Amino acid sequence: MAGVHIERLHKQFGGKATAAVHALADLTLDIADGEFISLVGPSGCGKSTALRIIAGLEIPTSGRILFDGRDITGLEPRDRNIAMVFQSYALYPHMSVRQNLEYGLKKRGVPAAERASAVDSVAAMLQIGPLLDRRPRQLSGGQRQRVALGRALIRDPEVFLLDEPLSNLDAKLRVHMRAELAALHQKLRTTMIYVTHDQLEAMTLSDRIVVMNHGVMQQVGTPEEIYSRPANRFVAEFIGTPSMNMIEGEIRAEGGRPHFTGPGLSIALPMAPSAGGRATLGVRPEDIALVAADAPGAIPARVTVSELAGAERYHFVSLGESPIIVRTPATTVLHPGETIALGLAPDRLHLFVGTGDDAAAVR
Ligand code: ATP
């Protein structure tokens, strides 16, 4: 196992004949020994590039990577003691599961008896013992993914690199394999760096999450920190389903207190931003309560549509003139056209000042 120190990594593609793409800009990150960390962000945000540089499959334009204090930036992938699992399982189709599992060990000249015992222990851990004599095409997607994990595990690497390993599975199997992966990490406590575009996967698996956009790290923190204290508007909107409601408006001083004023609404703010500027108020769908019309601070709203999503309901409502989503238990039934009153918990409000995705959270 190893801790990973990533220092000012930068990757630029092209630049002479073609326009330069800054796939990764100035990424600095310390990953603790045994930590499960996820790089998450939309397509093209640079997460795979970061992982490929850590693997040695891509050379950084500048910056360094250290494993437990050793600079490995210039090492070949095979000299880094890493194992990688990809979205495409990349199993050898003409080899049995056993041959796929032991291939790397065989290439390194590990004796047959030692290989057999390594295969047995990995197969037992992943419950693929009965499949050892099958070919990959005779396996289900989940079984293939388990073999791909097994092939990485058998190398007993210092660092595991996983690039969207569950994306090819159907929704139900993804949830199942996600739990298996979490259990595996609990057992092995090997450093794992996991790339995904799926924020829920990152939230459920990780000790910490790195949110990326346009090659730039937006925030790093525990799932709780990222969810409840997003650093900017991009993180706030990317993490959580349904997304955080965003209401555009401005900050005004009313009666000596800062208020957020949006179309058809005015809310006293618990934070103290300077008055006068444009701002966005963010509130998660579950942080909005249905209250009595005469409750202090109650805001009238009109229901547009209600959706049942299993154990809960999503109500699309107009708050002032802004469309927002309110999340309630399924037992709360509202009807289109109904007028309701909503309460926003002051300590659950987010305020973003600035423009676009970079608008920073004000605390
Ligand atoms: P995805 O989820 O779609 O795989 P990603 O976040 O992993 O996206 P990267 O694959 O790291 O994104 O790509 C980051 C940026 O770098 C993208 O704009 C991509 O087009 C560009 N890029 C990646 N590889 C190359 C390359 N070999 N040559 C030129 N540009 C590249």
Side-chain angles (χ1 to χ4, degrees):
M1 292 199 288
V4 178
H5 174 70
I6 297 170
E7 195 176 290
R8 309 204 64 175
L9 265 197
H10 191 96
K11 179 66 185 179
Q12 177 180 335
F13 289 108
K16 290 191 184 104
T18 52
V21 176
H22 296 275
L24 201 60
D26 213 13
L27 178 69
T28 295
L29 183 65
D30 267 311
I31 303 168
D33 192 357
E35 188 172 25
F36 194 122
I37 197 157
S38 294
L39 308 183
V40 67
S43 183
C45 72
K47 52 196 188 296
S48 295
T49 300
L51 200 75
R52 289 172 60 79
I53 293 174
I54 300 168
L57 300 172
E58 205 80 72
I59 298 167
T61 309
S62 58
R64 311 194 296 160
I65 301 169
L66 287 80
F67 282 5
D68 272 348
R70 278 174 298 124
D71 189 333
I72 55 119
T73 322
L75 293 187
E76 290 292 321
R78 64 171 177 277
D79 299 324
R80 293 187 179 205
N81 204 9
I82 45 134
M84 201 156 173
V85 181
F86 298 96
Q87 172 180 352
S88 63
Y89 320 114
L91 300 175
Y92 297 110
H94 58 288
M95 292 186 190
S96 67
V97 168
R98 178 187 299 282
Q99 288 166 328
N100 265 287
L101 287 174
E102 67 176 2
Y103 182 74
L105 301 182
K106 206 169 173 179
K107 261 183 76 179
R108 279 192 276 153
V110 175
E114 217 174 295
R115 289 198 315 258
S117 116
V119 167
D120 287 345
S121 93
V122 163
M125 192 181 307
L126 295 168
Q127 295 167 356
I128 50 175
L131 310 176
L132 288 175
D133 295 322
R134 291 202 200 167
R135 295 278 163 91
R137 71 181 140 77
Q138 298 168 306
L139 304 176
S140 71
Q143 290 167 335
R144 269 180 231 167
Q145 191 51 276
R146 246 176 259 163
V147 176
L149 275 173
R151 204 176 43 177
L153 276 176
I154 207 163
R155 305 187 47 188
D156 192 20
E158 281 185 294
V159 179
F160 258 111
L161 305 174
L162 302 111
D163 193 351
E164 305 252 9
L166 308 184
S167 321
N168 280 354
L169 307 177
D170 66 47
K172 202 167 164 188
L173 197 53
R174 267 179 98 131
V175 174
H176 180 75
M177 286 300 288
R178 197 168 79 197
E180 282 197 6
L181 204 53
L184 197 63
H185 181 251
Q186 290 287 335
K187 198 183 305 178
L188 297 173
R189 280 284 153 200
T190 306
T191 311
M192 292 193 179
I193 308 178
Y194 190 93
V195 159
T196 179
H197 64 273
D198 181 336
Q199 51 91 26
L200 185 61
E201 218 165 85
M203 291 283 288
T204 50
L205 278 168
S206 319
D207 295 313
R208 281 189 309 156
I209 297 174
V210 175
V211 183
M212 317 248 321
N213 193 26
H214 299 310
V216 179
M217 180 167 82
Q218 305 290 309
Q219 187 172 5
V220 56
T222 63
E224 292 77 13
E225 282 163 356
I226 298 275
Y227 190 78
S228 56
R229 293 172 69 81
N232 62 25
R233 184 169 172 163
F234 176 80
V235 176
E237 287 191 292
F238 190 76
I239 302 287
T241 327
S243 281
M244 185 184 282
N245 294 298
M246 295 291 176
I247 305 168
E248 306 295 335
E250 60 186 55
I251 301 158
R252 283 193 198 153
E254 282 176 25
R257 276 194 68 183
H259 278 63
F260 174 84
T261 310
L265 103 159
S266 177
I267 299 166
L269 289 170
M271 53 291 263
S274 41
R278 301 285 310 162
T280 306
L281 186 74
V283 54
R284 291 215 180 270
E286 66 273 25
D287 293 334
I288 307 170
L290 269 74
V291 296
D294 57 357
I299 309 167
R302 183 176 288 272
V303 180
T304 316
V305 177
S306 277
E307 283 180 351
L308 177 64
E312 47 194 28
R313 266 180 218 275
Y314 304 144
H315 310 279
F316 295 74
V317 311
S318 300
L319 185 75
E321 288 157 36
S322 305
I324 62 160
I325 300 179
V326 180
R327 183 182 203 156
T328 67
T331 45
T332 307
V333 179
L334 299 174
H335 303 285
E338 195 175 336
T339 298
I340 53 173
L342 299 176
L344 311 183
D347 60 336
R348 313 287 291 181
L349 295 177
H350 304 263
L351 187 73
F352 304 99
V353 173
T355 48
D357 284 345
D358 295 332
V362 179
R363 304 276 178 225

